[in-house]
Every structure is written in C-alpha cells, then in structure tokens.
Amino acid sequence: MRILITGANRGIGRALFDACQTRGDAVTGTTRRDAGEGFLNLDVTDPASIRAMAEAFGAAPLDLLVCNAGVYLDRGEHLADGYPASIWAETFAANVTGVFLTVQALLPNLRAAQGRIAIISSVMGSQARAPGGSYVYRASKAAAVNLGRNLAADLALDGIAVGIYHPGWVQTEMGGADADIDVATSVDGLLNRFDALGVATTGCYEDYAGRPIPL
C-alpha cells in the first residue's frame, strides 16, 4: 500500500511512519526541514510548499493520505487578554487550510487509487464536548471535522473514503507525560481504523479504538 503521512518527523506522525514501514507499506513522510530518505519537505501553511511536495511525489496512485501535521499554539492563553489574532491565523493555516490544500494537491493520486484520506483531528473538535478554554485549537479541530465530512460527501462518487480521527490523549511532546495512552497504543488503533475505512463508513468521526465521537 502506498501511503503519505504529513507531519511525520515526530510524535504520532513519526510512529505511524515507522509502523507502516515495518509492515511493508511504501510510505512517504513529510517534514518542514531536514528531509531524509523516505521524506519530502512540506510546510502545510505554505501553498507553494504544498504544490512542490505534490510535484516531488509524482503521479503514483496514493492509497492512503494521512493528514497529521498540526499545531496547538494556544495552550495557557487566557480569555481576558490572550488568543491574539496571529495564533488564530497560524493555527487555522496548519490545522484546516493545510489539510484542504494537501488533499487538493494530491487528489489526482487519490483518484487514481480510489484511495482513502485520514484526517487526524481531536475529540476537542466535538461541539458536544465544550468545557471551555483552548478556543483556537478547539475551533480549528471542529473545522477539520466539518471539512472532513464535507470532503466525504463530495469524494464518495470517486470511491474515495474520508475518516476523521481522535488519536487519544497520547504521551507525546504535545500530549505530555501525564497523557492517558502511549504512542504504540494510539498508532495500533489508528492503523486499524485506517484499514477499516471504506466508502460505507466515509465521514466517520471516531477515536483510535473505533468509538464514535459526538459531533
């Protein structure tokens, strides 16, 4: 299976890359700098970089695109005086616009394979769960869910399935040491979800264990 994973230089993205390599997939990762073997340079906030990445990837059919690259910039911000406009712009550029433009750039490859798109979002994008705080990140992940579900509707006729996934609260640099699960647990679950994704389940929004997340 030919797979491309964005943001594969560290954390969950790197673990997914390594796991796909181990099981024999033809996997390409992306990173913003220092791309080594098996990697392409990509800054998902830069449309020119996205176009260059797609050009470098070439015309090969793509079975699975994992949109993992993202940022969480508003941790610790305060409602009274925080959340500057720059954080909103940077977060949406990475977590929403970057996902859309990456899908758009690789759409010919996905159509050639009747491939699948996995968008790594978060339970924090659920509007049914709104405990407050992290306004920018939550809003961006809610937008990513909405984007994924609309892509699912538009791409179904092409035989392309789209799933939106919460990787769990994972012990990574972003999740912290006190997170609920280790990286291996999240990655094993996510790969199972990706493998199970098809046109019949397109538009799903679920966690790494297959549990549906309320919108």
Side-chain angles (χ1 to χ4, degrees):
M1 184 160 62
R2 191 178 297 275
I3 300 171
L4 189 143
I5 303 168
T6 67
N9 57 307
R10 63 179 181 175
I12 293 169
R14 182 67 203 214
L16 282 168
F17 178 90
D18 291 342
C20 290
Q21 269 200 333
T22 297
R23 72 180 194 176
D25 294 315
V27 58
T28 301
T30 76
T31 176
R32 284 183 295 178
R33 51 190 171 273
D34 300 326
E37 185 177 354
F39 281 80
L40 296 174
N41 285 314
L42 174 64
D43 178 352
V44 296
T45 68
D46 179 357
S49 177
I50 294 172
R51 289 192 297 270
M53 178 276 298
E55 249 182 66
F57 184 76
L62 182 59
D63 298 296
L64 174 63
L65 169 62
V66 182
C67 295
N68 170 72
V71 296
Y72 185 176
L73 302 179
D74 60 322
R75 188 184 278 110
E77 291 287 322
H78 301 288
L79 179 57
D81 57 4
Y83 304 99
S86 60
I87 286 182
W88 286 91
E90 290 172 41
T91 300
F92 272 75
N95 295 0
V96 186
T97 310
V99 173
F100 178 81
L101 293 179
T102 300
V103 170
Q104 189 178 54
L106 293 170
L107 198 50
N109 310 78
L110 289 160
R111 282 181 168 143
Q114 290 194 317
R116 289 165 284 167
I117 300 166
I119 297 172
I120 305 301
S121 182
S122 170
V123 70
M124 291 172 73
S126 169
Q127 298 189 65
R129 304 184 184 188
S134 297
Y135 296 103
V136 184
Y137 185 76
R138 290 182 191 280
S140 74
K141 289 304 186 180
V145 174
N146 185 279
L147 171 63
R149 288 178 64 82
N150 280 285
L151 284 171
D154 281 339
L155 295 176
L157 290 178
D158 291 320
I160 298 172
V162 183
I164 308 107
Y165 302 98
H166 170 54
W169 184 22
V170 189
Q171 295 158 8
T172 60
E173 183 179 338
M174 183 181 285
D178 295 329
D180 290 337
I181 59 172
D182 60 22
V183 172
T185 301
S186 175
V187 166
D188 287 348
L190 287 172
L191 288 177
N192 287 335
R193 304 279 66 73
F194 303 163
D195 289 343
L197 177 62
V199 173
T201 57
T202 193
C204 62
Y205 178 31
E206 57 192 23
D207 73 4
Y208 68 98
R211 294 172 291 225
I213 299 170
L215 293 170

